[in-house]
Amino acid sequence: MRTGVSFSVSSSDRQRLEAIVADGNRPQKHVWRARIILLSDDGLGTAAIMAATGKSKTCVWRWQERFMEEGVDGLLREKTRLPGIPPTPTNKVAEIVRLTQEPPPHEATHWTLRAMATLSGVAPSTVRGIWKAHGLSPHRWRAFKLSNDPKFVDKLTDVVGLYVDPPAHAVVLSVDEKSQIQALDRTQPGLPMKKGRAGTMTHDYKRNGTTTLFAALNVLDGTVIGKNMQRHRHQEFIRFLNEIECSVPTGKEVHVILDNYAAHKHAKVRAWLERHPRWTFHFVPTSCSWLNAVEGFFAKLTRRRLQRGVFHSLVDLQAAINRFIKEHNTTEAKPFRWTADPDRIIAARNRGFQTLDSIH
């Protein structure tokens, strides 16, 4: 033992120490501290204790001294000490929070950790802790769009009503177009995924043309009617309506949910509607494409088939889309269920306008 440190272990202390070492539920730090004292009592030198416990010389000496001063209880607690870094003053925290919510004075769109730390005179880690505690994330942002349609409530109620309680003896279709789908071919072939490595794909590509997918989602059973066309005009839209007309059984009314694209309201489209009285259009509010159920199918098509697809020609792209629609109708189609509360949507929209008014 170190000079000036000496102790003897009583029989009761030795029993306590041996019980600590034998207890499998004890923290390991308590176990090796007790072993240091037991080995010291057995007459082993510092080097032998270091080899047996894997601890440094200063560590062995520290706990020998602690046992000499406080006994077994001293091995089971940590030494209390004052914090090395004093807490950030309250006024400094308030200043950082205030500055974070204001535009930075330098040429930047948002604050960074280092910019705020330099201005406020604290460490970046301090700024990070303050931002986390107050829920501030200047590097993040969320896009939003509030509908200013004067008939927002009426249109929302109409469309949601079709989802929740569709009319009897009728077909409810959610119709839209996914335009400018690119047939992208990579400049070099990628490598497949293997253990420890993700699949690869070149960042550059060759564009082999574009197509527009016209799609109608049947809300009642989840099937999709799709057709690829070269352009995105009212002429193509009428051709798609004619295709739907042929596929829907006679005697059933057809209710169509669609957005406010100009082609959907063209004079020739309105004339087509007059010639087909069983059809009724229900327009979603402006800037509310999310209300159209077919957008969910478009998102799934993009994620699963288009985003990482390689298409050597426009024909390859159109064939892949048609196969995806066929597979969806065969294996994945299910009735569309609306679960959101329209009143909460209306309230959230109104709160958004109130927030914008308070800013201005």
Side-chain angles (χ1 to χ4, degrees):
M1 281 185 283
R2 186 177 57 177
T3 304
V5 176
S6 62
F7 56 82
S8 60
V9 181
S10 65
S11 59
S12 60
D13 285 347
R14 189 171 186 91
Q15 288 179 359
R16 288 186 64 188
L17 293 172
E18 290 175 348
I20 292 173
V21 173
D23 188 353
N25 293 323
R26 280 280 185 176
Q28 284 301 302
K29 59 184 179 181
H30 294 171
V31 173
W32 59 256
R33 292 171 189 173
R35 288 191 63 205
I36 290 175
I37 304 305
L38 289 173
L39 293 173
S40 302
D41 187 52
D42 292 339
L44 275 66
T46 301
I49 297 174
M50 291 167 54
T53 59
K55 302 301 176 182
S56 65
K57 181 187 297 185
T58 55
C59 181
V60 172
W61 287 350
R62 180 187 310 118
W63 293 106
Q64 287 174 340
E65 183 179 0
R66 177 74 69 84
F67 180 79
M68 181 186 71
E69 296 174 350
E70 303 182 27
V72 177
D73 293 336
L75 304 179
L76 305 182
R77 68 168 184 83
E78 309 302 321
K79 185 176 181 181
T80 57
R81 57 176 66 89
L82 295 175
I85 302 176
T88 308
T90 305
N91 59 345
K92 176 63 72 173
V93 173
E95 180 188 4
I96 292 175
V97 172
R98 180 185 61 81
L99 290 173
T100 303
Q101 299 179 73
E102 298 177 357
H106 55 284
E107 287 299 324
T109 57
H110 60 279
W111 285 102
T112 62
L113 279 174
R114 284 178 171 76
M116 179 59 73
T118 301
L119 182 67
S120 57
V122 298
S125 59
T126 302
V127 176
R128 182 185 295 110
I130 294 172
W131 283 355
K132 183 177 181 180
H134 290 80
L136 298 173
S137 301
H139 62 290
R140 294 180 178 176
W141 61 278
R142 286 192 347 180
F144 76 97
K145 178 66 176 179
L146 295 176
S147 174
N148 56 4
D149 195 322
K151 297 182 179 180
F152 176 85
V153 175
D154 294 337
K155 292 181 179 179
L156 175 70
T157 306
D158 179 36
V159 173
V160 173
L162 287 174
Y163 290 147
V164 176
D165 188 19
H169 308 294
V171 176
V172 178
L173 301 175
S174 172
V175 175
D176 202 1
E177 305 87 15
K178 185 173 178 62
S179 60
Q180 297 296 310
I181 306 174
Q182 302 182 81
L184 300 182
D185 187 9
R186 303 294 161 175
T187 56
Q188 297 175 7
L191 297 176
M193 176 186 63
K194 70 175 185 179
K195 185 177 180 180
R197 187 196 69 193
T200 64
M201 181 179 292
T202 60
H203 70 279
D204 53 345
Y205 54 83
K206 295 182 292 185
R207 185 184 290 115
N208 295 319
T210 61
T211 188
T212 294
L213 172 63
F214 287 75
L217 173 70
N218 190 330
V219 173
L220 302 179
D221 60 14
T223 58
V224 173
I225 302 171
K227 187 173 183 62
N228 290 289
M229 299 189 193
Q230 285 297 111
R231 302 185 68 177
H232 186 199
R233 305 171 301 172
H234 72 275
Q235 293 94 324
E236 285 76 20
F237 182 58
I238 292 175
R239 285 167 52 196
F240 184 57
L241 295 179
N242 287 329
E243 183 161 330
I244 298 176
E245 171 70 14
C246 295
S247 62
V248 175
T250 56
K252 286 185 175 291
E253 294 183 355
V254 183
H255 294 267
V256 179
I257 300 169
L258 67 172
D259 61 22
N260 295 272
Y261 186 61
H264 301 162
K265 299 182 176 181
H266 194 275
K268 293 186 177 180
V269 175
R270 294 199 298 269
W272 186 93
L273 281 176
E274 292 177 359
R275 297 194 303 271
H276 299 80
R278 70 169 180 158
W279 284 67
T280 304
F281 279 7
H282 303 263
F283 293 99
V284 301
T286 55
S287 306
C288 290
S289 293
W290 49 267
L291 192 55
N292 209 348
V294 74
E295 295 293 342
F297 172 78
F298 287 154
K300 183 170 68 173
L301 170 66
T302 301
R303 290 194 308 268
R304 295 189 184 179
R305 193 61 188 91
L306 301 179
Q307 201 165 42
R308 293 164 58 177
V310 177
F311 308 104
H312 303 297
S313 66
L314 186 59
V315 175
D316 286 347
L317 171 63
Q318 294 173 340
I321 294 174
N322 292 335
R323 291 195 304 270
F324 184 88
I325 294 175
K326 182 178 179 181
E327 182 178 280
H328 168 83
N329 292 340
T330 304
T331 62
E332 299 187 23
K334 58 183 179 181
F336 176 76
R337 292 184 58 196
W338 178 269
T339 58
D341 184 356
D343 293 333
R344 295 183 63 182
I345 296 174
I346 295 171
R349 170 181 176 266
N350 294 337
R351 284 197 304 269
F353 278 119
Q354 292 168 5
T355 303
L356 291 178
D357 291 340
S358 66
I359 292 175
H360 295 305

